[in-house]
């Protein structure tokens, strides 16, 4: 995902400051709800899959197994992230403090990283004339645009009578509309919308039901079956269907295929997301704290992923051996883990979580007792 500008398939996760449950803090008058380790664990594991998927991208052509794993992971890693983002958008009503967080937590980082990636493309990709475009998200920045749009529409999805069927209908219509254009990566925004809307209508008890032993046991054969289907599908299905960046007609298929694939990829993505969430640890583990920094890993690892291809890191002989592919996988997981750590977050906080109180009226700022929680 995300290996070409107009296919921008990537990862990640929900914007940390805009979608995460807050840490426990005391301001003297109120105590903010502590972070839920389950969701931090889920986001960390999902962002690892995003990074590993990007690491596998250059290996697909030389290995059917790598290509099958790529298809398998791309079926659900972003849907899982988006579903969680929707879950943490349930309380968004457009209050001044929420809009302020939307701008500083998603809008401004999008502008900063879009600019950074274009400059990096001009330098590292030896393309000094590559154009700047706010409306054309580059590589991983598409997710910030999508989350910004989805979050703004959250109040609508609370009053629609049949939100999930309506969002699926919108996604299906987008998949057969080749004239939508590329602005704001609108195809992906609309085609992935159902996962966000579904997440908005979930409750904590829905996630708790996944602890049922029968469901967890059932997830094993379902996952193994999905891996087998992915291996079978490698020569039969183009991976672009999972990017959701184009209509069916643009992929050379008849229009009705777009509707069928919208429903099929939604169903498969949801099924594998549930299997994934069923095995996410509910308690604190060694990587729980890293879940609060997934947006850092997501936005920063793209520079390494792009550079590795521009600078021919995959051309060394050992990479395309079975052992080499395992090493590449481990490197991808290690890099994204490092980028989610506290030291990295401290260094890059001014870009990812800029403090911009100076830009807003005082009545738009959150009250101390509500800070960082909505």
């Amino acid at each position: 995902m995300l290996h070409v500008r107009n296919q921008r398939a990537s990862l990640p996760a929900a914007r940390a400051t805009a979608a995460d449950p807050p840490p426990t803090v005391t301001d003297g008058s109120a105590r903010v709800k502590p972070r839920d380790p389950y969701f931090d664990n889920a986001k960390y594991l999902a962002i690892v899959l995003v990074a590993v998927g990007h690491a596998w991208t250059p290996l697909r052509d030389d290995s059917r197994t790598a290509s099958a794993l790529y298809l398998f992971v791309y079926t659900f890693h972003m849907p899982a992230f988006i579903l969680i983002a929707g879950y943490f958008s349930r309380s968004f009503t457009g209050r001044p403090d929420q809009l302020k967080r939307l701008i500083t937590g998603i809008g401004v980082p999008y502008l900063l990283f879009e600019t950074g990636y274009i400059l990096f493309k001009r330098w590292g990709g030896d393309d000094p004339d590559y154009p700047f475009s706010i409306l054309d998200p580059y590589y991983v920045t598409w997710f910030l645009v999508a989350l910004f749009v989805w979050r703004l529409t959250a109040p609508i999805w609370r009053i629609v009578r049949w939100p999930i069927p309506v969002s699926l209908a919108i996604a299906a219509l987008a998949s057969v509309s080749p004239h939508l254009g590329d602005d704001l990566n609108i195809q992906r925004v609309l085609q992935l919308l159902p996962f966000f809307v579904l997440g908005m209508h979930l409750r904590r008890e829905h996630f708790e039901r996944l602890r049922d032993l029968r469901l967890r046991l059932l997830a094993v054969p379902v996952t193994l079956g999905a891996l087998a289907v992915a291996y079978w599908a490698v020569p039969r299905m183009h991976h672009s269907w999972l990017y959701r960046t184009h209509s069916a007609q643009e992929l050379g298929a008849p229009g009705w295929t777009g509707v069928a694939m919208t429903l099929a990829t939604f169903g498969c993505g949801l099924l594998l997301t549930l299997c994934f969430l069923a095995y996410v640890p509910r308690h604190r583990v060694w990587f729980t704290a890293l879940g609060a920094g997934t947006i850092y890993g997501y936005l920063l690892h793209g520079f390494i992923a792009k550079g590795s291809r521009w600078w021919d890191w995959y051309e060394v002989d050992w990479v395309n051996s079975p052992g080499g592919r395992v090493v590449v996988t481990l490197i991808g997981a290690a890099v994204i883990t490092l980028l989610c750590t506290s030291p990295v977050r401290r260094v890059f906080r001014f870009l990812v979580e800029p403090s911009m109180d100076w830009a807003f009226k005082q009545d738009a700022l959150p009250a101390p007792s509500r800070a960082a929680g909505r």
Side-chain angles (χ1 to χ4, degrees):
M1 182 192 259
L2 302 174
H3 63 288
V4 227
R5 180 176 178 78
N6 288 328
Q7 289 182 336
R8 302 177 252 343
S10 153
L11 128 293
R15 169 73 190 127
T17 58
D20 290 355
T24 300
V25 296
T26 301
D27 60 21
S29 61
R31 188 172 181 81
V32 179
K33 184 179 179 181
R35 299 184 69 93
D36 188 330
Y38 173 71
F39 291 106
D40 277 340
N41 292 339
K43 289 190 297 174
Y44 168 75
L45 294 173
I47 200 64
V48 167
L49 292 177
V50 170
V52 167
H54 287 166
W56 287 340
T57 300
L59 304 176
R60 293 171 306 170
D61 294 339
D62 298 318
S63 169
R64 183 169 179 174
T65 299
S67 190
L69 290 172
Y70 182 90
L71 285 177
F72 171 75
V73 165
Y74 270 73
T75 301
F76 73 94
H77 67 358
M78 286 310 296
F81 249 133
I82 295 165
L83 185 141
I84 293 173
Y87 176 74
F88 284 109
S89 297
R90 294 168 301 156
S91 64
F92 186 88
T93 59
R95 294 195 319 262
D97 61 304
Q98 292 176 328
L99 292 174
K100 184 243 181 184
R101 287 172 56 75
L102 187 67
I103 293 169
T104 61
I106 300 176
V108 172
Y110 167 68
L111 296 176
L112 294 174
F113 277 89
E114 174 73 359
T115 301
Y117 271 105
I118 297 303
L119 291 174
F120 187 63
K121 167 69 173 175
R122 289 184 168 194
W123 171 70
D126 195 22
D127 189 359
D129 297 321
Y130 198 84
F132 283 96
S133 176
I134 293 177
L135 296 179
D136 193 8
Y138 183 78
Y139 202 41
V140 297
T141 61
W142 73 267
F143 182 70
L144 296 182
V145 170
L147 187 56
F148 193 95
V149 174
W150 294 330
R151 182 62 64 85
L152 282 178
T153 67
I156 297 174
W157 298 112
R158 278 197 298 274
I159 63 173
V160 172
R161 179 163 295 186
W162 301 291
I164 297 169
V166 170
S167 65
L168 277 170
I170 291 173
L173 286 173
S175 73
V176 297
S177 303
H179 302 300
L180 277 178
D182 295 328
D183 288 353
L184 299 181
N185 210 341
I186 193 64
Q187 280 285 357
R188 179 174 284 154
V189 171
L190 297 179
Q191 291 192 41
L192 287 169
L193 173 65
F195 292 103
F196 181 84
V197 175
L198 175 60
M200 279 193 61
H201 290 82
L202 294 178
R203 297 294 179 266
R204 190 63 174 86
E205 55 265 29
H206 293 125
F207 295 94
E208 288 296 329
R209 290 176 190 173
L210 295 174
R211 300 180 65 178
D212 188 292
L213 180 60
R214 292 169 296 180
L215 292 178
R216 300 184 77 189
L217 291 176
L218 183 60
V220 175
V222 170
T223 301
L224 294 176
L227 284 167
V229 171
Y231 190 85
W232 170 86
V234 167
R236 297 173 175 85
M237 172 185 159
H238 199 277
H239 49 259
S240 293
W241 286 107
L242 299 176
Y243 297 166
R244 279 99 161 180
T245 51
H246 295 88
S247 66
Q249 295 92 325
E250 290 173 298
L251 293 176
W256 65 266
T257 310
V259 177
M261 289 300 291
T262 295
L263 297 176
T265 53
F266 176 76
C268 293
L270 177 57
L271 182 62
L272 290 179
T273 293
L274 295 178
C275 292
F276 166 74
L277 293 174
Y279 277 92
V280 171
R282 262 71 180 171
H283 53 279
R284 293 191 64 84
V285 291
W286 67 267
F287 55 77
T288 300
L290 299 174
T294 52
I295 191 64
Y296 288 81
Y298 178 76
L299 291 173
L300 294 171
H301 89 282
F303 293 102
I304 300 172
K306 281 294 185 182
S308 68
R309 298 163 206 176
W310 294 336
W311 304 327
D312 299 327
W313 293 357
Y314 283 84
E315 297 303 313
V316 293
D317 294 337
W318 63 267
V319 167
N320 282 307
S321 65
R325 297 184 189 104
V326 172
V327 172
V328 168
T329 302
L330 295 176
I331 290 174
V335 167
I336 200 71
T337 298
L338 176 64
L339 294 177
C340 292
T341 59
S342 294
V344 172
R345 292 165 61 191
R346 284 195 294 270
V347 171
F348 291 99
R349 182 166 287 124
F350 74 103
L351 292 174
V352 181
E353 300 180 87
S355 176
M356 297 182 61
D357 288 351
W358 54 267
F360 298 89
K361 298 177 180 179
Q362 281 302 114
D363 57 3
L365 302 181
S369 62
R370 298 180 309 193
R374 306 298 172 86

